[in-house]
Amino acid sequence: MSSQKLWGIHMPAEVDTAPIDNHYVGIGWAKAGDLSSLPAEREAFKQALSQAYPDAKDGTIRVWAGTMYRFIHEISVGDLVVYPSKQDRMVNIGRITSDCQYLASDEHPNQRKIEWLGHFPRDEFSQAALYEIGSAVTLFQVRSNAAEFLKRLNPESALNAPEPNIEDDVSASGPEDDDTVTREATNLAKETTNDFIIKRLKNGLSDYDFEYFVAHMLECLGYHARVTAKSGDGGVDVIAHRDELGFEPPIIKVQCKQITDTTGEPDVNQLLGTIGDGEYALFVNLGSYSKPARATERNKSKLRLIDGEQLVEIILENYHKLAPRYRTLLPLRQIYVADVAATRKPGQD
């Protein structure tokens, strides 16, 4: 290996935590089978993918072939990978430890083993860095903001990236087709807005102010809400109810955590321990929840967990109801983005 590269890779939210738990990154195109034995030529990959996916457009085949070629032949053991995971809004950075392996039983059968070096909330990175790893393609080299990602790691993880080969990048990862480009642009716009709102809520409010913000959001949803005292609340930060005096059930006890990493089951159970008859538990954070915490939610009908993305959805739906001070904190302008999925015919992939 003449130089160490930093790659970015996207995997769908459906993989959940499998890449982190099982230490791998992977890409799909299962119908094409194992392409690792093909000659190291892009044309050979194009032909194989065209045969496996005869209905795919030429531009799409070109992009797929470039991605497969890079994953199998250009990534080297020792290279670093940035994987932004959608399910928990974390930026995961690791080191490639194996050549490409083909697992026929997996939905993403082309895999490389990873030694994960760190997992970081998205709000710890600049918007420019997040924009770069929000690339609309599956596999790409991180260039402009590589140093920012590497600063999160051990100093031994230095990068000696080569000068960009623009022609190679275009041939490998250019746009597939108009619908794909439009859909990815829409997703990137949504993700950028989510990042902006969560960063503002994290950095623009104190912990106590965040509790007042959550109380205000509940009022926008039609509840009466009050923030509890700063201490001795037993994990309850806000109490909400439908009637003005707060005597009639249901009573909602809310815990607010102004954090962007993962909340675990112990914190959730602490809140559950405060509820009595006619009471419900609501946990709100800016990050995500662990699998055990989500399992607890599924098994407890009186528990609701709201993560950062869900909170953003509530904010966007009720933005017109926000108090002026919160609209100043979160200055947003309503725009329309293309909904390509809505233009598809029933049964169309």
Side-chain angles (χ1 to χ4, degrees):
M1 182 179 64
S2 59
S3 62
Q4 185 184 46
K5 298 178 182 178
L6 179 61
W7 299 90
I9 190 166
H10 290 153
M11 289 178 278
E14 290 74 22
V15 301
D16 199 33
T17 61
I20 306 302
D21 298 339
N22 300 319
H23 301 275
Y24 76 89
V25 290
I27 57 177
W29 300 289
K31 291 181 182 179
D34 186 359
L35 302 185
S36 61
S37 61
L38 290 179
E41 302 170 356
R42 293 178 190 269
E43 191 59 38
F45 282 77
K46 290 180 185 178
Q47 292 177 5
L49 286 163
S50 294
Q51 293 175 2
Y53 299 92
D55 296 331
K57 298 178 181 179
D58 290 343
T60 299
I61 292 294
R62 174 175 59 83
V63 175
W64 291 356
T67 300
M68 286 289 294
Y69 177 88
R70 297 190 106 183
F71 192 80
I72 293 173
H73 292 292
E74 291 189 4
I75 293 180
S76 300
V77 172
D79 282 357
L80 300 174
V81 171
V82 177
Y83 162 48
S85 49
K86 295 179 174 61
Q87 73 280 356
D88 57 6
R89 294 184 55 80
M90 298 290 281
V91 175
N92 310 281
I93 306 178
R95 181 183 289 110
I96 299 287
T97 61
S98 78
D99 292 327
C100 184
Q101 304 170 345
Y102 184 79
L103 282 73
S105 60
D106 198 281
E107 190 174 350
H108 300 85
N110 301 283
Q111 298 183 5
R112 284 179 176 267
K113 286 295 184 180
I114 291 285
E115 174 193 4
W116 292 114
L117 303 174
H119 312 279
F120 311 95
R122 289 177 63 92
D123 69 295
E124 294 185 5
F125 298 91
S126 69
Q127 198 59 51
L130 294 175
Y131 190 84
E132 182 173 9
I133 63 170
S135 169
V137 297
T138 300
L139 181 67
F140 53 97
Q141 267 194 262
V142 179
R143 302 185 186 276
S144 301
N145 299 278
E148 182 174 343
F149 293 105
L150 294 167
K151 281 199 302 186
R152 302 288 173 177
L153 301 178
N154 188 297
E156 294 179 1
S157 300
L159 179 70
N160 181 21
E163 289 297 317
N165 184 331
I166 301 302
E167 181 179 355
D168 181 65
D169 278 355
V170 172
S171 64
S173 56
E176 297 180 16
D177 53 58
D178 286 347
D179 281 357
T180 299
V181 173
T182 301
R183 182 169 58 253
E184 294 300 336
T186 297
N187 292 338
L188 186 55
K190 292 178 179 178
E191 195 167 70
T192 300
T193 300
N194 286 3
D195 288 333
F196 172 79
I197 292 174
I198 290 174
K199 280 187 175 182
R200 284 292 183 118
L201 293 176
K202 175 73 181 299
N203 301 322
L205 298 172
S206 68
D207 291 346
Y208 201 46
D209 289 337
F210 181 65
E211 295 171 10
Y212 275 96
F213 176 79
V214 172
H216 180 65
M217 290 309 308
L218 288 168
E219 290 171 347
C220 291
L221 294 173
Y223 292 91
H224 298 275
R226 57 186 174 86
V227 175
T228 64
K230 287 188 178 182
S231 60
D233 56 16
V236 177
D237 301 314
V238 177
I239 296 177
H241 36 83
R242 286 294 189 181
D243 68 301
E244 188 170 353
L245 295 178
F247 290 137
E248 299 175 9
I251 307 299
I252 302 174
K253 291 183 174 179
V254 188
Q255 185 168 0
C256 310
K257 276 193 177 292
Q258 195 187 21
I259 61 172
T260 51
D261 49 11
T262 302
T263 297
E265 185 182 21
D267 288 324
V268 173
N269 284 335
Q270 180 190 26
L271 177 61
L272 279 172
T274 69
I275 66 172
D277 294 339
E279 296 181 338
Y280 291 77
L282 174 64
F283 206 116
V284 181
N285 74 12
L286 296 176
S288 60
Y289 296 91
S290 68
K291 279 188 172 181
R294 285 296 187 186
T296 299
E297 180 188 30
R298 288 193 296 272
N299 294 324
K300 301 290 185 179
S301 60
K302 292 187 175 183
L303 171 66
R304 181 79 166 87
L305 305 180
I306 294 181
D307 60 26
E309 289 209 357
Q310 292 166 325
L311 180 59
V312 169
E313 290 179 7
I314 294 171
I315 291 170
L316 294 177
E317 290 172 0
N318 296 276
Y319 187 75
H320 63 288
K321 300 178 185 177
L322 288 186
R325 66 182 183 279
Y326 293 128
R327 289 201 299 270
T328 299
L329 174 70
L330 304 173
L332 302 175
R333 177 187 302 173
Q334 185 175 23
I335 62 172
Y336 292 95
V337 293
D339 184 3
V340 177
T343 67
R344 297 184 177 188
K345 298 177 180 179
Q348 184 178 1
D349 292 335

